[in-house]
Structures are given as structure tokens and as C-alpha cells.
Amino acid sequence: MQVALPFRAGHPGAYPARVPADGTDLPRWLRWRLRTGAVRASGATPETVMGQLASVMNTDAVAPRERPGFWADWVDRLFHGLQSDLYGDTDFDGRMSTLHAGDVVLTRLEANRHRVVRSTSLVRQSELGYLKIVAPYVGCAGVEQKGREAWVTPDQWSLYDTTDSYAVANPVRVEHLIVMIPKERLAERGLHLDALMARRLGGSGGVSRLALETMRSAYRELPGMSEIAARGV
């Protein structure tokens, strides 16, 4: 049985295959948001993650020349098979703080521009399947999957499936909330999600905006929760 979700995806935005340093190939509406500073979510000041639930990675822990490799290795392990590159940049810094709500994984990521790709071969090597959400606090993300591309900015989010190949571009410095939900959990509920992959969600109120606020609230509150309480988030 297919169950329709109670919100609709926005029209996908144009996704440039190659993003130059000056951003000239970005969609016009996105260039305007970057120029006017409109790509910062309200309340985007980084939260302080406390307690033992957080797993933190910071490139400040290694020498500058080692940071690209350090970042790529961490991204690959944390997200179960993911290639990362820095648009050819050699100067890079980034950090990630990860929390768990049962089998749901929430990561706050802050980093210089970079992009990630999950190829078909990496999909075959992984036994775990997740639905991933990228929700920018600052900056933007371009999600490509299933022949669709969508750009999202603060107060928007996009969904993609780790059991299929995908790419995510971050052509400027970003702060994102990334949520990973076991795919089988939603499959068991009969939800038909393929039509929502690589779509722009949120930004216009309704249930999709409520979902975004729920994800952000969960990340903020998890450090103070017991393991049992976190499973119920």
C-alpha cells in the first residue's frame, strides 16, 4: 500500500555540474540569497553539545596539510561510504558533532566548501540503508539523485536515499543539520518516498516546516536526554 505524505515537494532547482569559485553558475535566486546574506537560518548560532552522547570531529586537531585526508576519511566512515573533495582547495577546516536518538543519527556539520558523492560501487559495498536529510543553517546545498537536482537554503531541506547513488554540493562555507533515518523503518509503514528524493521541502510553512523544526529541536535537546528518552525522539 502506498501512503501519501501530507506535504508536497517544491520544484527542483538547477544544479550546476561544476561550481566555480565565484559562484557564477549558481541559480540566480541562490546567488541573490548568498549576496544579500539571506542564507542564514534564524537562531543559527552553533549550539554547545555537552555530555557523553556527542561524537565530535574537528580538523583543528591535525596539521593543515593533513586536514583534507582527515576530513575525507571521517566523512566516509560516518556516512557509511562517501567520497569527498574540496573543489581543489588546499586550505580547509571543518567539524562535525554527532548524536544518536536510538537508531536515528543526527549530525551538525560546519565546513568550508566541499562536495560529496556516493557512487554505485559504494552503494554495493554498504549493508546499511538510510534516508538522509540535509537542512542548512547557513549556506546552501545542492542535492542530486534519481535524475533530479534541488538547491536548499536555510529553512528548507531535502531528502535522499543512501541505497542509490547521489551527490551533494556545498559550494560555500556551510552549517548543516544532517539526519539519517533507517530506511526500513519507513518502508515498514508503507510510505512511498521515491517521488520526494532530491526535492526542495520546507520554507513555505505547513507540515514540512514543522518537520524541520522538530529535527532541529531534537538535536538541541538530545544532549540532556537519557538513552531511553532519546529512543523516543
Side-chain angles (χ1 to χ4, degrees), residues 8-173:
R8 294 185 299 174
H11 189 275
Y15 176 91
R18 299 181 63 187
V19 181
D22 61 5
T24 53
D25 282 357
L26 293 174
R28 182 181 300 174
W29 67 269
L30 183 53
R31 293 202 305 271
W32 177 85
R33 287 175 67 87
L34 288 167
R35 187 171 60 252
T36 59
V39 289
R40 176 175 290 272
S42 57
T45 301
E47 299 91 355
T48 300
V49 178
M50 303 178 64
Q52 296 301 314
L53 289 175
S55 174
V56 178
M57 183 282 276
N58 194 328
T59 57
D60 289 348
V62 299
R65 67 178 180 278
E66 298 174 358
R67 290 176 183 176
F70 184 66
W71 176 263
D73 180 66
W74 193 280
V75 165
D76 179 53
R77 290 186 289 115
L78 178 61
F79 298 117
H80 305 287
L82 204 54
Q83 293 177 322
S84 174
D85 78 78
L86 310 180
Y87 292 94
D89 296 344
T90 56
D91 184 19
F92 181 82
D93 70 85
R95 69 185 304 272
M96 289 184 279
S97 179
T98 299
L99 298 165
H100 293 260
D103 54 4
V104 177
V105 185
L106 299 92
T107 298
R108 177 129 187 185
L109 177 152
E110 177 181 355
N112 288 355
R113 66 175 192 163
H114 66 284
R115 54 193 168 194
V116 295
V117 175
R118 184 166 170 85
S119 64
T120 302
S121 62
L122 288 173
V123 171
R124 288 196 297 264
Q125 294 172 26
S126 177
E127 298 179 356
L128 300 174
Y130 289 93
L131 294 178
K132 287 180 69 175
I133 292 165
V134 58
Y137 289 101
V138 176
C140 60
V143 179
E144 180 179 10
Q145 190 171 60
K146 297 186 181 298
R148 294 188 292 268
E149 303 88 20
W151 284 99
V152 290
T153 58
D155 301 325
Q156 301 171 345
W157 52 283
S158 191
L159 183 71
Y160 45 108
D161 184 353
T162 70
T163 65
D164 194 3
S165 58
Y166 66 83
V168 179
N170 305 284
V172 296
R173 185 170 180 83

Side-chain angles (χ1 to χ4, degrees), residues 138-229:
V138 176
C140 60
V143 179
E144 180 179 10
Q145 190 171 60
K146 297 186 181 298
R148 294 188 292 268
E149 303 88 20
W151 284 99
V152 290
T153 58
D155 301 325
Q156 301 171 345
W157 52 283
S158 191
L159 183 71
Y160 45 108
D161 184 353
T162 70
T163 65
D164 194 3
S165 58
Y166 66 83
V168 179
N170 305 284
V172 296
R173 185 170 180 83
V174 297
E175 295 177 37
H176 292 332
L177 177 63
I178 300 172
V179 182
M180 299 172 62
I181 306 169
K183 187 177 179 179
E184 62 180 13
R185 173 188 287 196
L186 298 180
E188 290 170 354
R189 301 180 184 180
L191 296 176
H192 182 61
L193 298 171
D194 282 355
L196 291 175
M197 299 301 133
R199 301 286 191 181
R200 190 184 308 133
L201 302 166
S204 58
V207 175
S208 58
R209 179 55 184 267
L210 179 61
L212 175 61
E213 294 304 322
T214 299
M215 289 184 285
R216 289 177 175 171
S217 177
Y219 182 84
R220 289 193 300 266
E221 296 174 7
L222 276 171
M225 291 184 180
S226 67
E227 182 177 349
I228 294 176

